[in-house]
Amino acid sequence: MTWPTPQDYNEAIQNPFSCFYDQKLKSCSPETTVLGLPRAITGAFATVYRLSSAESHWAVRCFLQDSPDLPKRYSELSKFVCSDTLPYTVDVHFQEQGIKVKGQWYPILLMEWANGIPLDQYLYENLQNPNKLTLLADQFVKMMTALQYAGIAHGDLQHGNIIVVDDELRLVDYDNMFVPALEGMESSELGHVNYQHPSRSSQHFGPQLDNFSAWSILTSLRCLAADSMLWDWLSAGDECLLFRKEDYVSPLTSRCFATLESHANENIKQAARIMRAITRYPVMQVPPLTDDIREVEDLPAVEGTPLSAPIARTSASMPEWMHEGPAFYSETDKAKPRGAWPRHEQYQKAALDAASSFDDPELQVGKVILDKTRCGHHGVVFHFTCFQRTVAVKCFLNDVPDRERRYAMLANAVRTYQLEKYFLNFQYLPAGIKVGKYWYPILKMDWCHGMDLELTAKSNIENNQEILNLVAYNFRKMLDRLQEAGISHGDLEPRNLMVELFDFKLVDYDGIFVPDLTNELATETGTIKWQHPARTRRNFGPYLDNYAAWIIDTYIQIAGQDRNLWTLINNRLRDDPTGDSEEDWTFRYLELNQNKFVKTRVHFLRQLLNMPIENIPPLSTDVKVDKSGSALMRGLRYFLTGKRAEDTPAVATAEFSDDTR
């Protein structure tokens, strides 16, 4: 039988009522191009159309060539997918009499349309959002674990077949999927070469089929979450994520592996070493994806194949910042690099054995209070009682190549500008805590005995308006002092603002900017919901806190004006830490509020969203919202929604002119 060409299918599908056997497809309309012709996604084995009705959207897969086992393969596949409980697959129906082309019936594969974006596009759009990429990597591991547990394999894991729908993963294109009923058959295709083991053949078909491509994808996700600049440096997105077929074939001369394994970030190095070791496994012996594998030594042995090999070197082609950095300390050999960064539970185990885990004499006799442990994306902070005082110990979860230098610059700036009032005393110890056989850096600092801003607002929201007034005044006063010194915290949010005797102490200094760091990159982009949505690591300067300061000032003032609205906003901020900024602050709730200050303030905040980050005025600037709601602010010729901080300790009680209503 001669199979239709893509053009034959294009002509037939222009009239769904006549060409389809399925009644629900007869009433659908195909998605079309600008010329009004059916839009087709054509591959080597099939062409796919999107058909829609008022109630549903479908993907119709039309085959371009015959296969003797096609009916059995797709019937078993359809049976399995339609009965599984996996959230990552969509129902698929094989219809042997599916579409009529030139008077002849041909089979089709019908599935629900996954209305999302391909993995590579999602990564590109979120490169400056490492939290989203980290969550996506975790979700990918969860998805692969579920597929392994079900005993199935997709067979062609790649960027175009993994769709992100509302930040959730979906799999499409099941042409080469393995399900238990297909045991003993061969692969119908070999998958995308930039994601598959170079030795894969049609004889390789089973539940282990995805293991290699899963490691490749996860390695790419984790490396990009740690350093988004790898996307440009390795020309990612060109029919690949980070790796290509030639990298798998010759990992010891691969520029990609050389770049990753020579990176200053130890987590990137470790991930690349594991991936390089995996290229040495036979196709069906590649271990399944698991978080238990953190180092090459954790991989199962391959008989006769050493997994450790020299790192590929192409130093001349790498920028200076990617060259090998200084090794961390080993107990027996200080030049020996350490393993991957410990996890929270590993640090906790070490903290409980203080005498053996710390080099600092005070910490050696300290006792950790676990119920006061504070966990973040970049570190874990433990509370220790030592002699007659309490200290905080921050243990880091990832690498920053020049972390020690940045802390030294911060300490110098605090002394120079006499800002000790707003910072905790701290000491960076490069060999601070021993986990296993390696030493890792810590930040030792005074323990702050106050409450963070969120708890302060919550505990005073009922009837202590004067305290909130004083807190708002002191917040503005602190920002004025930082602004005078040219310093930005970089991650202003309520839980990084401690209130002690009505005054503020800043905590979490990982993203701080001081004048000595001018023209450098930020190490992070701050807590999403409190930061401008356009912020990237390239935004790093004395202006960095301005947007967050306006948001936090609004947060404090709402607490003083409308308890219910504050509770609503605060709960949303806590419950959903990864949304888009405009949704984060739920502007629609603020705009619907009848309080004149709230309505005018949110109008102003909307204007800030449309400004370049570096042009956002500081909190002490006189600004005004114009009547039209224009996103363009004419210089800084506006008035503040209340009085300036130095005038009075009272919360700004807005006096608005008629044109702001």
Side-chain angles (χ1 to χ4, degrees):
M1 177 171 61
T2 302
W3 283 72
T5 65
Q7 180 59 33
D8 293 333
Y9 283 123
N10 278 350
E11 293 175 2
I13 213 165
Q14 291 183 55
N15 191 344
F17 185 82
S18 300
C19 73
F20 289 115
Y21 183 83
D22 192 312
Q23 289 298 319
K24 60 180 171 287
L25 294 180
K26 287 179 177 290
S27 59
C28 290
S29 299
E31 182 180 23
T32 58
T33 66
V34 293
L35 299 176
L37 300 175
R39 185 186 301 277
I41 304 171
T42 301
F45 304 99
T47 186
V48 181
Y49 299 91
R50 179 179 181 177
L51 282 95
S52 303
S53 66
E55 299 81 24
S56 55
H57 303 278
W58 301 96
V60 176
R61 191 171 184 84
C62 304
F63 301 98
L64 298 176
Q65 59 188 39
D66 193 13
S67 171
D69 58 9
L70 190 146
K72 173 178 172 56
R73 185 182 295 273
Y74 287 105
S75 294
E76 294 295 346
L77 171 63
S78 174
K79 190 185 306 180
F80 183 92
V81 172
C82 290
S83 62
D84 72 29
T85 58
L86 296 170
Y88 312 105
T89 59
V90 296
D91 285 351
V92 56
H93 307 277
F94 178 70
Q95 298 180 356
E96 195 158 5
Q97 186 170 300
I99 186 170
K100 184 186 289 186
V101 181
K102 295 181 178 179
Q104 177 79 35
W105 286 103
Y106 295 91
I108 62 171
L109 204 62
L110 177 66
M111 64 182 70
E112 302 168 26
W113 184 269
N115 194 25
I117 59 175
L119 177 63
D120 57 339
Q121 181 182 339
Y122 182 88
L123 292 179
Y124 181 75
E125 292 178 1
N126 290 280
L127 282 176
Q128 305 307 326
N129 195 333
N131 291 338
K132 275 197 172 185
L133 299 193
T134 299
L135 290 171
L136 190 74
D138 293 342
Q139 189 183 154
F140 182 75
V141 173
K142 184 178 178 182
M143 178 179 74
M144 296 313 304
T145 302
L147 296 186
Q148 292 161 20
Y149 184 79
I152 67 173
H154 180 274
D156 188 16
L157 286 180
Q158 46 115 325
H159 60 268
N161 291 338
I162 302 174
I163 305 296
V164 186
V165 183
D166 297 329
D167 295 332
E168 300 289 332
L169 296 177
R170 297 288 184 276
L171 295 172
V172 297
D173 188 355
Y174 303 155
D175 285 353
N176 200 44
M177 179 175 277
F178 172 85
V179 298
L182 299 181
E183 184 74 47
M185 296 180 68
E186 293 187 353
S187 293
S188 60
E189 56 184 85
L190 301 182
H192 197 302
V193 294
N194 288 337
Y195 294 83
Q196 296 298 323
H197 195 294
S199 299
R200 179 179 172 183
S201 71
S202 60
Q203 282 73 45
H204 298 126
F205 195 54
Q208 311 95 326
L209 200 55
D210 288 340
N211 292 357
F212 184 88
S213 50
W215 277 110
S216 175
I217 292 169
L218 181 66
T219 303
S220 299
L221 293 178
R222 286 184 169 162
C223 289
L224 287 169
D227 185 356
S228 62
M229 294 178 71
L230 290 171
W231 183 275
D232 292 329
W233 182 244
L234 294 175
S235 301
D238 181 18
E239 284 301 302
C240 68
L241 295 185
L242 293 184
F243 298 100
R244 294 172 171 81
K245 178 182 178 180
E246 52 267 29
D247 299 314
Y248 309 138
V249 173
S250 297
L252 297 182
T253 59
S254 158
R255 177 174 175 270
C256 180
F257 277 111
T259 300
L260 299 178
E261 293 189 55
S262 299
H263 198 285
N265 185 308
E266 190 65 27
N267 290 332
I268 292 177
K269 287 182 184 179
Q270 278 298 108
R273 289 168 183 157
I274 292 172
M275 185 64 215
R276 178 164 56 88
I278 282 172
T279 64
R280 303 179 68 84
Y281 280 82
V283 180
M284 303 305 275
Q285 292 184 35
V286 174
L289 195 64
T290 170
D291 261 343
D292 292 337
I293 297 176
R294 312 269 311 176
E295 302 185 39
V296 173
E297 290 74 15
D298 296 330
L299 288 164
V302 178
E303 186 175 349
T305 306
L307 293 180
S308 297
I311 297 175
R313 297 288 183 184
T314 57
S315 296
S317 66
M318 290 186 293
E320 184 65 29
W321 62 271
M322 282 188 175
H323 287 193
E324 189 83 47
F328 278 77
Y329 302 100
S330 168
E331 184 178 33
T332 56
D333 180 3
K334 288 192 174 183
K336 184 178 180 181
R338 57 151 175 80
W341 286 87
R343 291 164 286 182
H344 170 204
E345 56 271 20
Q346 293 171 305
Y347 278 129
Q348 179 174 299
K349 182 178 179 181
L352 288 168
D353 185 14
S356 302
S357 301
F358 293 105
D359 193 44
D360 181 87
E362 187 176 29
L363 292 176
Q364 285 181 340
V365 297
K367 180 181 179 182
V368 65
I369 303 175
L370 291 180
D371 60 358
K372 293 189 177 182
T373 301
R374 179 174 172 177
C375 300
H377 291 296
H378 306 290
V380 184
V381 179
F382 294 103
H383 182 193
F384 277 83
T385 57
C386 305
F387 294 118
Q388 300 300 314
R389 76 183 191 115
T390 58
V391 299
V393 173
K394 180 166 186 175
C395 302
F396 302 101
L397 297 174
N398 49 33
D399 194 29
V400 172
D402 57 351
R403 181 181 276 137
E404 184 171 9
R405 179 177 70 93
R406 289 180 182 244
Y407 278 121
M409 289 178 174
L410 171 60
N412 181 63
V414 170
R415 288 192 300 269
T416 301
Y417 298 105
Q418 299 179 344
L419 295 172
E420 291 85 356
K421 177 179 180 179
Y422 300 115
F423 290 86
L424 300 170
N425 291 322
F426 64 86
Q427 181 183 10
Y428 182 84
L429 302 175
I433 186 171
K434 181 183 170 189
V435 181
K437 59 183 178 179
Y438 296 113
W439 290 91
Y440 297 82
I442 62 171
L443 195 69
K444 178 187 174 186
M445 52 198 146
D446 292 342
W447 182 266
C448 184
H449 293 277
M451 296 188 294
D452 65 36
L453 178 58
E454 180 184 336
L455 290 175
T456 300
K458 186 178 293 185
S459 61
N460 292 287
I461 203 169
E462 287 285 352
N463 48 24
N464 284 316
Q465 180 68 51
E466 287 141 6
I467 291 179
L468 290 176
N469 291 349
L470 187 59
V471 167
Y473 167 73
N474 286 334
F475 177 65
R476 294 183 175 205
K477 186 176 177 182
M478 177 186 69
L479 289 176
D480 282 347
R481 291 284 289 114
L482 293 178
Q483 186 183 354
E484 289 170 6
I487 294 175
S488 289
H489 179 270
D491 191 14
L492 279 186
E493 60 113 334
R495 283 169 287 181
N496 286 338
L497 291 162
M498 305 300 293
V499 182
E500 192 175 49
L501 299 177
F502 311 124
D503 219 333
F504 280 92
K505 287 282 189 184
L506 293 166
V507 298
D508 191 354
Y509 310 145
D510 289 351
I512 207 155
F513 172 85
V514 297
D516 287 342
L517 291 173
T518 300
N519 298 324
E520 298 197 28
L521 293 176
T523 59
E524 57 178 77
T525 54
T527 304
I528 296 172
K529 285 181 175 287
W530 301 91
Q531 297 297 321
H532 195 286
R535 180 180 171 185
T536 71
R537 286 178 58 204
R538 293 178 177 85
N539 300 117
F540 198 47
Y543 56 84
L544 203 54
D545 288 342
N546 292 350
Y547 177 82
W550 282 105
I551 295 292
I552 292 169
D553 183 71
T554 305
Y555 179 85
I556 299 172
Q557 297 201 47
I558 288 176
Q561 299 206 22
D562 189 328
R563 174 192 174 191
N564 292 331
L565 180 62
W566 182 89
T567 302
L568 173 69
I569 297 297
N570 192 63
N571 287 343
R572 179 165 178 83
L573 287 167
R574 288 187 60 84
D575 293 344
D576 180 18
T578 58
D580 297 330
S581 279
E582 199 157 330
E583 282 298 310
D584 296 346
W585 256 86
T586 56
F587 286 118
R588 63 183 182 276
Y589 295 131
L590 298 177
E591 287 172 324
L592 291 172
N593 193 274
Q594 296 306 305
N595 182 291
K596 188 175 182 180
F597 162 75
V598 174
K599 291 174 74 70
T600 307
R601 175 57 70 91
V602 73
H603 190 181
F604 171 66
L605 294 179
R606 278 200 181 278
Q607 296 194 43
L608 296 186
L609 282 172
N610 289 280
M611 294 184 67
I613 298 173
E614 60 273 17
N615 291 347
I616 292 175
L619 186 59
S620 59
T621 306
D622 290 342
V623 294
K624 178 183 179 181
V625 182
D626 64 11
K627 183 177 180 180
S628 68
S630 168
L632 299 175
M633 299 175 60
R634 303 181 188 92
L636 301 177
R637 298 181 295 104
Y638 300 106
F639 68 94
L640 187 65
T641 55
K643 297 182 179 180
R644 290 173 64 91
E646 61 268 25
D647 296 335
T648 173
V651 170
T653 54
E655 298 177 6
F656 301 109
S657 59
D658 290 340
D659 68 347
T660 63
R661 288 194 295 251

PDB file of all heavy atoms in Angstrom, residues 39-54:
ATOM      1  N   ARG A  39      -2.164  23.759   9.384  1.00  0.00           N
ATOM      2  CA  ARG A  39      -0.804  23.835   9.906  1.00  0.00           C
ATOM      3  C   ARG A  39      -0.351  22.437  10.322  1.00  0.00           C
ATOM      4  O   ARG A  39      -0.987  21.793  11.156  1.00  0.00           O
ATOM      5  CB  ARG A  39      -0.738  24.771  11.104  1.00  0.00           C
ATOM      6  CG  ARG A  39       0.679  24.991  11.638  1.00  0.00           C
ATOM      7  CD  ARG A  39       0.675  25.826  12.919  1.00  0.00           C
ATOM      8  NE  ARG A  39       0.066  27.105  12.691  1.00  0.00           N
ATOM      9  CZ  ARG A  39       0.688  28.165  12.167  1.00  0.00           C
ATOM     10  NH1 ARG A  39       1.950  28.047  11.800  1.00  0.00           N
ATOM     11  NH2 ARG A  39       0.049  29.310  12.010  1.00  0.00           N
ATOM     12  N   ALA A  40       0.728  21.965   9.733  1.00  0.00           N
ATOM     13  CA  ALA A  40       1.217  20.611   9.998  1.00  0.00           C
ATOM     14  C   ALA A  40       2.581  20.653  10.671  1.00  0.00           C
ATOM     15  O   ALA A  40       3.412  21.512  10.368  1.00  0.00           O
ATOM     16  CB  ALA A  40       1.314  19.819   8.702  1.00  0.00           C
ATOM     17  N   ILE A  41       2.789  19.724  11.602  1.00  0.00           N
ATOM     18  CA  ILE A  41       4.103  19.506  12.196  1.00  0.00           C
ATOM     19  C   ILE A  41       4.577  18.161  11.656  1.00  0.00           C
ATOM     20  O   ILE A  41       4.067  17.108  12.042  1.00  0.00           O
ATOM     21  CB  ILE A  41       4.034  19.477  13.730  1.00  0.00           C
ATOM     22  CG1 ILE A  41       3.401  20.764  14.262  1.00  0.00           C
ATOM     23  CG2 ILE A  41       5.418  19.276  14.329  1.00  0.00           C
ATOM     24  CD1 ILE A  41       3.108  20.735  15.744  1.00  0.00           C
ATOM     25  N   THR A  42       5.526  18.206  10.731  1.00  0.00           N
ATOM     26  CA  THR A  42       5.913  16.993  10.012  1.00  0.00           C
ATOM     27  C   THR A  42       7.263  16.492  10.474  1.00  0.00           C
ATOM     28  O   THR A  42       8.222  17.270  10.580  1.00  0.00           O
ATOM     29  CB  THR A  42       5.953  17.261   8.496  1.00  0.00           C
ATOM     30  OG1 THR A  42       4.658  17.696   8.076  1.00  0.00           O
ATOM     31  CG2 THR A  42       6.332  16.002   7.732  1.00  0.00           C
ATOM     32  N   GLY A  43       7.338  15.197  10.780  1.00  0.00           N
ATOM     33  CA  GLY A  43       8.584  14.545  11.142  1.00  0.00           C
ATOM     34  C   GLY A  43       8.915  13.454  10.152  1.00  0.00           C
ATOM     35  O   GLY A  43       8.341  13.378   9.054  1.00  0.00           O
ATOM     36  N   ALA A  44       9.843  12.573  10.545  1.00  0.00           N
ATOM     37  CA  ALA A  44      10.275  11.516   9.633  1.00  0.00           C
ATOM     38  C   ALA A  44       9.213  10.446   9.440  1.00  0.00           C
ATOM     39  O   ALA A  44       9.129   9.829   8.375  1.00  0.00           O
ATOM     40  CB  ALA A  44      11.563  10.879  10.162  1.00  0.00           C
ATOM     41  N   PHE A  45       8.356  10.219  10.463  1.00  0.00           N
ATOM     42  CA  PHE A  45       7.428   9.094  10.405  1.00  0.00           C
ATOM     43  C   PHE A  45       5.954   9.503  10.381  1.00  0.00           C
ATOM     44  O   PHE A  45       5.102   8.672  10.102  1.00  0.00           O
ATOM     45  CB  PHE A  45       7.666   8.169  11.608  1.00  0.00           C
ATOM     46  CG  PHE A  45       9.082   7.676  11.699  1.00  0.00           C
ATOM     47  CD1 PHE A  45       9.994   8.277  12.556  1.00  0.00           C
ATOM     48  CD2 PHE A  45       9.520   6.629  10.911  1.00  0.00           C
ATOM     49  CE1 PHE A  45      11.295   7.840  12.637  1.00  0.00           C
ATOM     50  CE2 PHE A  45      10.828   6.172  10.980  1.00  0.00           C
ATOM     51  CZ  PHE A  45      11.726   6.785  11.845  1.00  0.00           C
ATOM     52  N   ALA A  46       5.679  10.761  10.709  1.00  0.00           N
ATOM     53  CA  ALA A  46       4.277  11.170  10.794  1.00  0.00           C
ATOM     54  C   ALA A  46       4.164  12.677  10.663  1.00  0.00           C
ATOM     55  O   ALA A  46       5.145  13.416  10.809  1.00  0.00           O
ATOM     56  CB  ALA A  46       3.666  10.703  12.113  1.00  0.00           C
ATOM     57  N   THR A  47       2.948  13.123  10.378  1.00  0.00           N
ATOM     58  CA  THR A  47       2.647  14.547  10.391  1.00  0.00           C
ATOM     59  C   THR A  47       1.479  14.766  11.343  1.00  0.00           C
ATOM     60  O   THR A  47       0.548  13.952  11.406  1.00  0.00           O
ATOM     61  CB  THR A  47       2.335  15.060   8.963  1.00  0.00           C
ATOM     62  OG1 THR A  47       2.191  16.471   8.981  1.00  0.00           O
ATOM     63  CG2 THR A  47       1.084  14.412   8.406  1.00  0.00           C
ATOM     64  N   VAL A  48       1.543  15.838  12.127  1.00  0.00           N
ATOM     65  CA  VAL A  48       0.591  16.063  13.214  1.00  0.00           C
ATOM     66  C   VAL A  48      -0.185  17.348  12.965  1.00  0.00           C
ATOM     67  O   VAL A  48       0.384  18.367  12.567  1.00  0.00           O
ATOM     68  CB  VAL A  48       1.308  16.142  14.574  1.00  0.00           C
ATOM     69  CG1 VAL A  48       0.310  16.364  15.707  1.00  0.00           C
ATOM     70  CG2 VAL A  48       2.117  14.877  14.831  1.00  0.00           C
ATOM     71  N   TYR A  49      -1.508  17.286  13.214  1.00  0.00           N
ATOM     72  CA  TYR A  49      -2.382  18.445  13.066  1.00  0.00           C
ATOM     73  C   TYR A  49      -3.099  18.692  14.387  1.00  0.00           C
ATOM     74  O   TYR A  49      -3.391  17.759  15.141  1.00  0.00           O
ATOM     75  CB  TYR A  49      -3.425  18.197  11.972  1.00  0.00           C
ATOM     76  CG  TYR A  49      -2.824  17.953  10.610  1.00  0.00           C
ATOM     77  CD1 TYR A  49      -2.519  16.659  10.185  1.00  0.00           C
ATOM     78  CD2 TYR A  49      -2.561  19.019   9.747  1.00  0.00           C
ATOM     79  CE1 TYR A  49      -1.965  16.430   8.941  1.00  0.00           C
ATOM     80  CE2 TYR A  49      -2.018  18.797   8.491  1.00  0.00           C
ATOM     81  CZ  TYR A  49      -1.714  17.503   8.096  1.00  0.00           C
ATOM     82  OH  TYR A  49      -1.168  17.278   6.854  1.00  0.00           O
ATOM     83  N   ARG A  50      -3.408  19.957  14.629  1.00  0.00           N
ATOM     84  CA  ARG A  50      -4.228  20.319  15.780  1.00  0.00           C
ATOM     85  C   ARG A  50      -5.631  20.632  15.285  1.00  0.00           C
ATOM     86  O   ARG A  50      -5.823  21.481  14.421  1.00  0.00           O
ATOM     87  CB  ARG A  50      -3.658  21.532  16.505  1.00  0.00           C
ATOM     88  CG  ARG A  50      -4.509  21.959  17.701  1.00  0.00           C
ATOM     89  CD  ARG A  50      -3.926  23.156  18.419  1.00  0.00           C
ATOM     90  NE  ARG A  50      -4.758  23.532  19.572  1.00  0.00           N
ATOM     91  CZ  ARG A  50      -4.479  24.503  20.417  1.00  0.00           C
ATOM     92  NH1 ARG A  50      -3.362  25.218  20.251  1.00  0.00           N
ATOM     93  NH2 ARG A  50      -5.281  24.787  21.425  1.00  0.00           N
ATOM     94  N   LEU A  51      -6.612  19.911  15.848  1.00  0.00           N
ATOM     95  CA  LEU A  51      -8.011  20.152  15.510  1.00  0.00           C
ATOM     96  C   LEU A  51      -8.770  20.555  16.762  1.00  0.00           C
ATOM     97  O   LEU A  51      -8.550  19.995  17.840  1.00  0.00           O
ATOM     98  CB  LEU A  51      -8.656  18.911  14.882  1.00  0.00           C
ATOM     99  CG  LEU A  51      -8.269  18.704  13.403  1.00  0.00           C
ATOM    100  CD1 LEU A  51      -7.109  17.752  13.285  1.00  0.00           C
ATOM    101  CD2 LEU A  51      -9.461  18.232  12.596  1.00  0.00           C
ATOM    102  N   SER A  52      -9.656  21.529  16.594  1.00  0.00           N
ATOM    103  CA  SER A  52     -10.350  22.085  17.762  1.00  0.00           C
ATOM    104  C   SER A  52     -11.834  22.217  17.506  1.00  0.00           C
ATOM    105  O   SER A  52     -12.275  22.452  16.368  1.00  0.00           O
ATOM    106  CB  SER A  52      -9.787  23.471  18.113  1.00  0.00           C
ATOM    107  OG  SER A  52      -8.405  23.402  18.353  1.00  0.00           O
ATOM    108  N   SER A  53     -12.588  22.061  18.591  1.00  0.00           N
ATOM    109  CA  SER A  53     -14.016  22.366  18.594  1.00  0.00           C
ATOM    110  C   SER A  53     -14.264  23.268  19.790  1.00  0.00           C
ATOM    111  O   SER A  53     -13.330  23.638  20.512  1.00  0.00           O
ATOM    112  CB  SER A  53     -14.848  21.082  18.711  1.00  0.00           C
ATOM    113  OG  SER A  53     -14.629  20.466  19.975  1.00  0.00           O
ATOM    114  N   ALA A  54     -15.489  23.618  20.031  1.00  0.00           N
ATOM    115  CA  ALA A  54     -15.803  24.479  21.170  1.00  0.00           C
ATOM    116  C   ALA A  54     -15.477  23.787  22.486  1.00  0.00           C
ATOM    117  O   ALA A  54     -15.177  24.435  23.490  1.00  0.00           O
ATOM    118  CB  ALA A  54     -17.278  24.880  21.129  1.00  0.00           C
TER     119      ALA A  54
END
